[in-house]
Structures are given as structure tokens and as C-alpha cells.
Amino acid sequence: MSRSRSISWLALPVALVMTLTACGGGTSSDSAAGTNEEGTVSIYGTEPKANLLPANTTEAGGSKAVEALYTRLVGFKAEDGSTYNLAAESITTSDAKVYTIKLKQGWKFHDGTDVKAKNFVDAWNYGAYAPNAQQGSPFFAQIQGYDDVSPATEGAAPTAEKMSGLEVVGDYEFKVTLKGPFSVFTSQIGYLPFSPLPDAFFADPKAFEAKPIGNGPMKFVSRTPNALIKLERFADYQGEDKVHFKTLDIKIYSSQETAYQDLVGGKLDFMEALPPSAKIGDKHKSDLGDRVLNANLLGISTIGVPYYVPGFDNLDLRKAIALAINRDQITKTVLANSYAPVDGWVPPGIDGYEPNVCGDFCKYDKEKAKEYFTKSGFTGKLTIQSNADGGRKEPLEAACNSIKDALGVDCEFVGATNFGAFRQIVDGQQLTGMSRSDWSADYPSIENFLNPMYKTGGSSNDTTYSNPAVDALLAKADGTADKNEAIKVYQEAHRLMAKDLPSIPVWTEKGIGGYSKNLSAAKLTFKRDGELAAFRVKG
């Protein structure tokens, strides 16, 4: 399915200049009749793994707060991910390599200071600089000078503190020079790490971490670990995606089941995903009625197979595991048809998706699974590690049971207390077995499903998978200015990667959420989160 991204210049001669201008999005600023503009909305959350800095937040737990706290140059429409201008007045280029970015004037940070070009440039430089150890650093890799601030060689010291490809032209204008043409850039800059930071951050980073100051529709009030993150509407916000309620409570739950009961009982207002038990027999429909939300999600679930764990750098073992998982049965029973089996590492709905890239290895075959398992010579116990909250336990237990039945080997689900604790294990490369590895589009591009996860040193390459031939194709695709031609090369990389089975594709979520009787309206986005601008509290 093709996705409109408002960047048709990619197929045109480079002499033409593209201007990306506002094309709508969010909701109208007019209040709906009967809406309580001073009301509170509570949404389901999991404990963030770290602070709420935008370049350090690449996981779901923290992103719910960070998305509301910071606004980037462009935003994404909830329905399909097409871009529209937020902080940017215009983004122009003649060659897909050098971009001139002009900002809208009059926009403020939550401390009242102006949002200026230097706030973007300083924030991006901070996020990219290796000693700052920001999780999202690799997303700046296309900018000229990135290798100087974040050397590819492990242990090498940076030779610069700032990227040469960023230049402040004036208070509300800056220029970005990339290493080469990159067809994804004008969509990528809508992702969290590309947020601006106020001067207050650089004056006292530690104080800022305790009370972050953003430029988004919501401002920070307080955070109680493992319990609550409280935000409040920013009255001076200028964006089209402004909110129509006063307070946002992100409630931290260790049990998705408990959260769902609170949703049904009106103690929680929004969940972007419902527990498996709520979907069995369409129970959620009788519980919520017309308050069930659906969305076309752009995401995928795989089972990670860490190469650093002894025994897993074994293709025959990975093939055996892939063949041993009965995806059809698990999605129909445990996941109550709210998920569908997948056949590759790029989900349907992404421009460039190709069916059956995984081939027969994404189809259940008990006999072949046993053959490859015997061939692998593996002995011992298999485990799948994950957070136990968020409804992740049940399908992974079912996957383990399927593996156990097909291979005749012991397989056990190992659950961390919460998502934050699980990510600490993953980021520290402390996995002792397979792991849950879900990915939702940061921005709607095939590139976003390949580079972060499967490029050597990618920001979310948790398994440490590495194939120089795949890397070369990804680099070639990155440097291809024409979007359609770039997609063809990304597809080549995807097909080549599939021969390695770097992780085990399992299923993709159909997108089912819900809201409480306290709201009159809510919306679910392609990223499986709430469109806050669409929420309305009953008057």
C-alpha cells in the first residue's frame, strides 16, 4: 500500500526545488460542544527505562511522555503517517542532500524562551555526540560530520564535538548538509531524537532531567517512578496538534489486565492495546461498545536471537525455531485474531513491502523443524525473555510451548518485572536466550524497519546481527536520491537479510484499543499510540 509523504520532489530533476509546507493534521482548535477543556485524561503506560530526553527515548515506555513534551519540525497524520509541518515553516532542497529549514516564529519552550534554529542544532549535536551516550544517536548518522562526533570504531575518541553538516543561518533558519542524498530525511526528522532543546538544558542537564522543559503541547509536572507521569496543557502552544483537556496522567501499570479493568470501570481513559483475554470471544466489544478503536498499525513482532549468546550463532538452530512456531494457531487462539502472522521483517502497509520474503521458514512445519534442530547439534534449554507486563507474556508462552512440542526441547518464558527492567537487560547485552523484539514505525518508511534493527551497530540492533553485504545494500539505498529507486535497493537488502534469519518474524498487530466512558472521542494512530489532539473529555 502506497503511503503519501508530500515529498514528490524525489522523482524530479535536482534542479527543481522542493518546499515542504503545512498540509494539515491533528484536529481543529475549535472546542467541541460539551467538551470539558479543564478535564483530565489518563492513559495506560509502562515504566520508562531512563530519563525523558528526546534523543535518549527510543522505547514505548518513555515515548508517551516525550511525544507530548516536545514538538519537531514535522508531524505525522494519525491515519497513514503522511507528514505535515509543525515547527517548520518550510524545508527546501534541490538535491536531497542540502536542506534549508526555516522555522515558524513565535513558538515557545515551556519556560517562555523562543524556539530558535540553534535549539535544534544544539540538540542534534548533543544527541549525536558519542560521550553523551544517547540511545538515538545513530539516527543522526546521515548528517555530514557524524562520524567525527561518533566514530564507528569502538573505543575511538571523537575528533569533534559538533557535526559539520549543521549550520545556523539566522535565528529562525538553519542548513543541514547530509553525507549524500537521503530520500527518507524529511520523514525521519519527525522522530523524537530530532526534537529541539532549550538553553536551560545545556545550563544544567541534571536539573533538566529531573524536570524537562519541552516545546510540545504538554508541559511536565511530575514523575513518580513505577506509578505516574503527570503533564499539563501548555497554554502558549502554537501547533495544530494542541490538546483540548487540561491534564494528562500517564499511569504506570505492571499488569495490562489490571489496566483493562480500570478502563472498563472508568478509572483509566485510554489503552492503545488491549490484553489478549479481552479479545477472546470479542469480550472487549461487549465491554466497550462503540468505544473500541481500530487503526492500521505499521509494526511487527519478532523473536530476537542474540548472536552473543552461545549457540545462537547457528543458522540451523534459527531455522528450526522459526519452523517450530505455529503462528496461525497462536494468532487465532491466544491472540484472538487481533494479530496476523507475518512473512518477513517489513510489515504490510509500508511502501516497499513484499510478501513471503521469509519463505517457508515463516510457516509451521514440525517435521522440518525437527530435522534442522537435529542438524544444529544444539543441546540444553531454550528461553524467551520479555517484560511480563503489556500483554506480552501469553503469546510468548504459547510460542515456547509450540517450540517445545515441535523440537522436543525444554522452552521457558522468562519475564522481567516491567518494560523498563527488560530494556535494561537488552541494552546491557545481558540476554541469556531469545527475546521479544517488537518494532513500531518511528516514521513510515521501509528504511526504518531495516537500518535500526539489522544494520551493523544499528540503534536497536539488540541481537548484534552483522552482515557486510546487507550493510552495503543499506548504505547504497540510503544514498539513493530517488525514493522509488531507493525502495528497490532496500528490498534487495531485505531479501538478502532473510537468508540469515537474523530474528524470527512472528506476527503483526491489527490495532485494537479503547477509551473510557469519561471521554466522548479518542483516536488510535498508525504508531499504536493515542492522538492526544483528538481526545475529548465529556463536559
Side-chain angles (χ1 to χ4, degrees):
M1 185 183 299
S2 177
R3 297 287 171 183
S4 172
R5 293 171 50 220
S6 302
I7 44 175
S8 57
W9 58 271
L10 290 172
L12 300 176
V14 295
L16 295 179
V17 176
M18 180 279 290
T19 301
L20 183 65
T21 55
C23 62
T27 61
S28 168
S29 60
D30 296 332
S31 300
T35 297
N36 179 8
E37 296 265 345
E38 300 304 305
T40 295
V41 171
S42 59
I43 67 174
Y44 169 78
T46 54
E47 180 65 13
K49 71 169 188 178
N51 54 42
L52 300 179
L53 293 180
N56 203 37
T57 304
T58 58
E59 39 74 34
S63 66
K64 289 184 180 180
V66 175
E67 286 276 9
L69 286 170
Y70 300 90
T71 289
R72 287 148 308 281
L73 296 167
V74 300
F76 302 116
K77 290 185 178 179
E79 296 80 8
D80 60 5
S82 57
T83 57
Y84 66 96
N85 277 5
L86 275 174
E89 179 68 40
S90 64
I91 302 172
T92 58
T93 186
S94 61
D95 57 4
K97 178 181 176 181
V98 180
Y99 295 81
T100 297
I101 299 172
K102 294 182 180 180
L103 302 181
K104 294 173 181 175
Q105 299 187 30
W107 284 46
K108 303 286 185 181
F109 284 106
H110 301 154
D111 62 358
T113 58
D114 290 335
V115 179
K116 296 184 176 181
K118 70 182 181 68
N119 296 114
F120 280 94
V121 169
D122 290 348
W124 295 8
N125 277 321
Y126 180 88
Y129 189 50
N132 294 329
Q134 298 296 282
Q135 188 77 24
S137 172
F139 285 96
F140 299 104
Q142 298 298 331
I143 299 175
Q144 188 178 87
Y146 174 80
D147 296 332
D148 297 326
V149 302
S150 185
T153 304
E154 188 174 351
T159 57
E161 293 185 2
K162 298 180 179 180
M163 292 180 285
S164 58
L166 297 179
E167 178 189 349
V168 175
V169 178
D171 279 351
Y172 300 99
E173 181 178 341
F174 66 106
K175 185 169 73 173
V176 182
T177 302
L178 306 182
K179 296 174 183 176
F182 184 46
S183 67
V184 184
F185 184 70
T186 50
S187 184
Q188 185 187 54
I189 54 177
Y191 184 37
L192 288 177
F194 292 89
S195 303
L197 288 170
D199 296 343
F201 168 75
F202 299 96
D204 192 342
K206 285 298 180 184
F208 188 93
E209 285 184 18
K211 191 171 183 179
I213 300 166
N215 66 320
M218 309 295 294
K219 61 183 181 181
F220 183 84
V221 177
S222 63
R223 177 181 176 183
T224 305
N226 297 302
L228 178 69
I229 300 173
K230 185 177 285 289
L231 308 179
E232 187 176 272
R233 182 177 61 222
F234 178 43
D236 292 331
Y237 185 65
Q238 302 295 313
E240 298 174 50
D241 57 338
K242 63 179 59 177
V243 300
H244 298 274
F245 55 89
K246 181 68 176 295
T247 306
L248 179 68
D249 286 347
I250 304 173
K251 293 186 175 182
I252 311 301
Y253 286 87
S254 59
S255 166
Q256 198 181 34
E257 294 283 355
T258 302
Y260 180 71
Q261 293 305 316
D262 282 355
L263 181 74
V264 173
K267 298 177 182 178
L268 179 71
D269 293 324
F270 173 80
M271 291 184 73
E272 74 279 6
L274 307 181
S277 62
K279 291 174 278 191
I280 294 174
D282 285 339
K283 182 177 183 294
H284 65 292
K285 293 182 180 180
S286 59
D287 287 340
L288 300 173
D290 60 3
R291 291 182 279 109
V292 173
L293 296 170
N294 297 101
N296 179 29
L297 300 187
L298 302 179
I300 198 163
S301 293
T302 68
I303 294 177
V305 188
Y307 279 58
Y308 60 82
V309 174
F312 283 139
D313 190 7
N314 181 325
L315 182 56
D316 288 324
L317 177 61
R318 298 196 298 277
K319 288 179 176 180
I321 293 168
L323 288 162
I325 299 172
N326 194 332
R327 295 162 183 78
D328 286 332
Q329 183 183 67
I330 294 170
T331 53
K332 287 176 182 176
T333 56
V334 177
L335 292 168
N337 286 313
S338 60
Y339 286 69
V342 289
D343 52 9
W345 291 261
V346 175
I350 288 290
D351 201 358
Y353 163 77
E354 294 180 294
N356 205 32
V357 170
C358 185
D360 290 341
F361 292 104
C362 280
K363 299 172 184 175
Y364 178 65
D365 191 323
K366 186 173 180 178
E367 199 170 300
K368 283 186 179 179
K370 187 66 175 177
E371 289 177 11
Y372 277 108
F373 186 66
T374 300
K375 187 179 176 182
S376 76
F378 181 85
T379 58
K381 180 179 180 180
L382 292 174
T383 59
I384 301 179
Q385 295 175 260
S386 174
N387 50 308
D389 60 350
R392 306 304 176 187
K393 179 180 179 181
E394 294 85 355
L396 293 178
E397 282 185 328
C400 244
N401 289 334
S402 185
I403 292 168
K404 186 186 303 183
D405 175 69
L407 304 182
V409 63
D410 190 16
C411 184
E412 179 186 3
F413 172 82
V414 179
T417 306
N418 55 46
F419 184 73
F422 172 63
R423 286 307 310 179
Q424 295 290 345
I425 293 169
V426 173
D427 293 342
Q429 293 190 4
Q430 296 173 345
L431 289 167
T432 57
M434 296 179 287
S435 69
R436 176 178 80 86
S437 183
D438 290 354
W439 188 260
S440 294
D442 301 313
Y443 41 93
S445 167
I446 185 174
E447 178 272 338
N448 186 234
F449 283 86
L450 300 179
N451 272 332
M453 301 279 281
Y454 302 107
K455 184 178 181 179
T456 302
S459 61
S460 295
N461 187 347
D462 299 328
T463 67
T464 67
Y465 166 73
S466 179
N467 182 330
V470 171
D471 289 345
L473 282 170
L474 290 174
K476 180 181 177 182
D478 290 347
T480 301
D482 183 273
K483 174 190 171 184
N484 294 324
E485 291 304 313
I487 287 175
K488 291 178 183 178
V489 185
Y490 285 123
Q491 289 173 324
E492 285 185 60
H494 186 201
R495 292 192 293 269
L496 179 59
M497 185 185 87
K499 296 180 179 180
D500 294 333
L501 278 174
S503 64
I504 312 299
V506 282
W507 37 73
T508 182
E509 190 174 359
K510 292 182 180 179
I512 301 175
Y515 61 98
S516 80
K517 58 187 178 184
N518 304 319
L519 304 184
S520 59
K523 184 182 286 188
L524 190 62
T525 77
F526 75 95
K527 295 174 69 174
R528 204 189 75 163
D529 57 17
E531 176 79 348
L532 297 182
F535 286 16
R536 298 290 186 274
V537 180
K538 289 181 180 178

